[in-house]
Each structure stands twice: as structure tokens, then as C-alpha cells.
Amino acid sequence: MSPRRSELCRGNDAQHRPHLRAGQLLSLESTTWPGTTDEVLKPFVDQAGLTVGEDFYLVYSPEREDPGNAQYNTRTIPKIVGRHTEDCLSAGTDFYTSFIDKVVPVSSTATAEMVKLLENIHRSVNIGLVNEMKIVADKMGLDIFEVIDAAATKPFGFTAFYPGPGIGWALHPD
């Protein structure tokens, strides 16, 4: 199975290229495979006659949100920024620090892309695990919520996940 590029590439067609200008910052925030920013977006910028890191700035900064959680909002959730060059990192950091409390720079766009995958996979695996544990607990006559709440008293090495209807987003076939 290969990554689905159709939506991302559709946005990189000739009709959009004339809108690129020197001094602009392009930040990809969508979940994608490590390498997308450099393999797909950088050539698009190059074809516009701009040089990434010199007169155009390119970063990857994964979307992070927790809908419905009043404790966190866009400003308070730390923002990862992966860069193509140091100048790209400066431009991305300057942009995001204007409305985000904490920006966390990483060494490359691919590193930032992998951060997003790790976060999503961690969540998916643990929701899948707790959903299976609920089935086992039900068969044993145990209350999975009591089990999770008790386990959550461990101050290290445990993150509480609760059973639900799924992992929270739809996967679209190519």
C-alpha cells in the first residue's frame, strides 16, 4: 500500500503556483508520511522559481487539538515545527509564536511528520487495546472503568484511555 497523494498533489497544480511569492511561509499541518514536505511540496516551490530557505520558507507543523477539552486550546497546546533549513525554522517559529505559547523545534520536516504519526498510532493502538479489554472485562463481570481509574493512579508509565465507538476518524481508501 502506498501513500495517497491525490489531495495534496491536486493543491500543487499550475493554477496555484502563480500565488507563491518570495518571503512567504508554507506550513503543512495535515497528517502525512515522513518525507511529504520535502518530496511533494518542495518541488512545487522549486518549480515556481523560488528557493526554499532563501526566498521562500517551508515547514511541517502537525495539527494538534483535543476537541471538547476545555483544559487545552490552540494557544496552550505546544506546536511542533520541523524545518527544511534554519531560515525556514526561524520563519515558522516567528509565525507560530505569535499565537502559540510554546513552539517545539525539531531537526527536519520528516521528524515532525513522524511525530504526528507516532501520536496518532499511540492513540489508535491504545483505544483499540482498551476496547478489547472492555470485551474481556465484560465477560469476566468486571467494570472496565473501575479498572482504568485504578490503573491511572500509577504516577508513571500509564495513560488512561477509555472504551468508545472507535478511534475517531475515517480512513479513506485511495
Side-chain angles (χ1 to χ4, degrees), residues 7-146:
E7 295 301 318
L8 183 59
C9 293
R10 190 171 314 148
N12 290 342
D13 59 23
Q15 79 179 45
H16 294 94
R17 200 169 292 116
H19 299 287
L20 297 181
R21 302 276 185 268
Q24 287 179 325
L25 169 68
L26 176 58
S27 178
L28 178 61
E29 293 197 359
S30 300
T31 302
T32 189
W33 72 93
T36 302
T37 306
D38 288 343
E39 295 169 15
V40 178
L41 293 182
K42 184 181 179 301
F44 174 67
V45 173
D46 293 343
Q47 291 169 4
L50 299 165
T51 303
V52 171
E54 291 180 22
D55 58 2
F56 195 89
Y57 307 99
L58 183 60
V59 298
Y60 178 81
S61 185
E63 169 194 32
R64 289 172 143 182
E65 60 181 65
D66 193 4
N69 185 339
Q71 182 179 356
Y72 301 106
N73 59 50
T74 300
R75 176 169 287 287
T76 62
I77 298 172
K79 190 75 167 147
I80 303 293
V81 177
R83 51 68 168 203
H84 185 73
T85 67
E86 285 299 324
D87 287 341
C88 292
L89 179 61
S90 292
T93 300
D94 288 349
F95 172 70
Y96 284 113
T97 56
S98 70
F99 60 96
I100 303 286
D101 290 341
K102 182 177 182 182
V103 173
V104 180
V106 296
S107 62
S108 67
T109 56
T111 298
E113 291 159 345
M114 185 64 94
V115 166
K116 181 63 172 177
L117 288 182
L118 178 60
E119 291 171 352
N120 286 358
I121 291 166
H122 176 265
R123 179 178 177 271
S124 297
V125 166
N126 283 290
I127 289 173
L129 172 65
V130 79
N131 283 340
E132 292 298 314
M133 291 295 294
K134 181 177 184 339
I135 293 169
V136 172
D138 285 350
K139 288 183 179 183
M140 296 176 73
L142 301 171
D143 178 352
I144 192 65
F145 296 98
E146 178 185 10

Side-chain angles (χ1 to χ4, degrees), residues 138-161:
D138 285 350
K139 288 183 179 183
M140 296 176 73
L142 301 171
D143 178 352
I144 192 65
F145 296 98
E146 178 185 10
V147 171
I148 294 166
D149 291 344
T153 64
K154 182 180 176 186
F156 57 89
F158 182 82
T159 301
F161 286 83

